Amino acid sequence: MSDADGPLPFSQAFDLGKLIQVGTDLLSTRTLPLVVGSTLLLFLDLCSGGGGQMNLPMNPSSGGDGEEAPADLDGALRALEGMMDQVDTSALLLMVLGAVGCGLVLTVILWLVKSWLWAGWLKMHEDLIVKGDSGIPVLFSGGDRMVPLALWTLLAATLRFGVFVVAATPGVAIVLLGLGDGLQGGMNGLRDALFDEGTLLTLALGLTVSLLGSVVAWLYVEPGLVFGERAVAIGGLGPLDALEHSWDLADGNRISILVFGLVAGLIYGTGWMLCCVGMVPARAVVSPAFTLGWMRATRNDRASWANRAAAT
């Protein structure tokens, strides 16, 4: 049997130095498609994280229409009350609902577009590794896996949130127990409780328990989810099957996955410090490298890969 036949043991498949080296080689030889894809994904990340708008402060000596700005909080509240009196309540409610609706629609659109582009991005990795080449059109070929990948991201986000809630619950219970008497006494009782040394110690304990519980849960659960996207986009699995696949693959290999994640985090962090522009080459190296590790650990066709360095 050839050395390039069958999946590699996980420890060999995720040889960190090998993966980063192949990722760097791919970027140096197939620069254009990787840079274009990484740039578009960075743009979508920035859009989904906020529009990047800057709200400049008004001149402190004047209001928005040239009127004198309120001198104190009471004046500001009276001005706000006057503005509210002039606005029809039903019209204001419709405006708020419209804004919320537009926000939800935009969020869904960005979610689907990112799923579509991410599926094409992962397919590009597969072509670069298996065929030895790829092009920008492949980046926009993820339509057939867009919905399954979008559903996977929703499933993974729900699981992460659920695990966080469960892990943080004991600490939250401790916090509520410490504030029990204060909460029954209303705002005055709560204020007195916050100045009590015993209550503060209880709050610190509760927050510490929540934090530690959340971190431990994340360290265990996150490695079981990291392969889901590739199982959906490249492996053709549905969200639930991808969850089972990813969880099984992570079994016994969580430390190796976390080590890769730590190195990837350092590379991404360095990219962010370079005015965010460094995120483009960082993703263009790390993301294909992780795809390669997953393929080396799961694929039976390594002997046919055009990229011999990746296959072995």
Side-chain angles (χ1 to χ4, degrees):
M1 179 180 290
S2 169
D3 291 339
D5 283 342
L8 286 172
F10 195 90
S11 58
Q12 295 181 37
F14 273 82
D15 181 336
L16 190 57
K18 177 80 169 181
L19 297 183
I20 297 299
Q21 181 61 55
V22 172
T24 303
D25 291 343
L26 287 175
L27 178 59
S28 64
T29 58
R30 300 294 183 270
T31 306
L32 183 59
L34 287 172
V35 167
V36 170
S38 185
T39 302
L40 290 175
L41 288 170
L42 176 60
F43 175 75
L44 288 176
D45 286 341
L46 294 175
C47 288
S48 59
Q53 298 177 350
M54 298 176 61
N55 296 320
L56 300 178
M58 296 172 60
N59 187 332
S61 64
S62 64
D65 54 2
E67 296 176 0
E68 189 69 15
D72 52 27
L73 180 59
D74 289 339
L77 292 175
R78 286 195 298 270
L80 179 60
E81 183 179 359
M83 292 173 58
M84 293 299 294
D85 289 339
Q86 299 177 16
V87 176
D88 182 70
T89 304
S90 58
L92 179 61
L93 179 60
L94 288 175
M95 291 172 59
V96 171
L97 292 176
V100 172
C102 289
L104 289 175
V105 170
L106 181 60
T107 299
V108 171
I109 292 174
L110 287 174
W111 170 46
L112 293 175
V113 169
K114 190 171 183 180
S115 298
W116 165 63
L117 192 64
W118 190 258
W121 170 250
L122 295 178
K123 287 184 176 184
M124 178 187 292
H125 299 172
E126 182 185 29
D127 278 358
L128 289 173
I129 294 166
V130 175
K131 300 177 182 178
D133 198 4
S134 188
I136 294 177
V138 178
L139 186 62
F140 306 108
S141 67
D144 60 325
R145 305 308 299 163
M146 178 182 70
V147 173
L149 191 56
L151 293 176
W152 161 256
T153 60
L154 181 61
L155 173 62
T158 301
L159 291 173
R160 291 184 178 103
F161 178 74
V163 168
F164 169 77
V165 169
V166 172
T169 295
V172 173
I174 294 174
V175 170
L176 294 177
L177 180 64
L179 292 176
D181 294 337
L183 291 174
Q184 294 178 2
M187 291 301 298
N188 290 333
L190 182 60
R191 181 188 58 196
D192 294 339
L194 291 176
F195 284 97
D196 180 73
E197 183 176 347
T199 301
L200 291 177
L201 290 175
T202 303
L203 294 178
L205 175 62
L207 293 175
T208 301
V209 169
S210 288
L211 178 62
L212 290 178
S214 299
V215 170
V216 171
W218 182 87
L219 290 175
Y220 181 78
V221 172
E222 189 62 25
L225 302 176
V226 294
F227 300 110
E229 292 174 333
R230 285 153 178 85
V232 172
I234 302 176
L237 299 182
L240 293 178
D241 289 335
L243 175 61
E244 182 179 2
H245 166 88
S246 183
W247 196 265
D248 289 344
L249 189 57
D251 187 28
N253 301 308
R254 282 177 166 79
I255 293 179
S256 298
I257 297 170
L258 290 171
V259 169
F260 186 97
L262 176 62
V263 174
L266 292 175
I267 295 175
Y268 282 138
T270 302
W272 276 116
M273 287 189 291
L274 297 174
C275 300
C276 295
V277 178
M279 275 294 295
V280 171
R283 191 198 301 267
V285 170
V286 171
S287 187
F290 193 77
T291 300
L292 172 60
W294 172 76
M295 291 178 63
R296 282 158 58 96
T298 59
R299 297 279 286 251
N300 292 310
D301 60 344
R302 290 187 305 114
S304 65
W305 291 0
N307 191 327
R308 303 310 305 158
T312 58

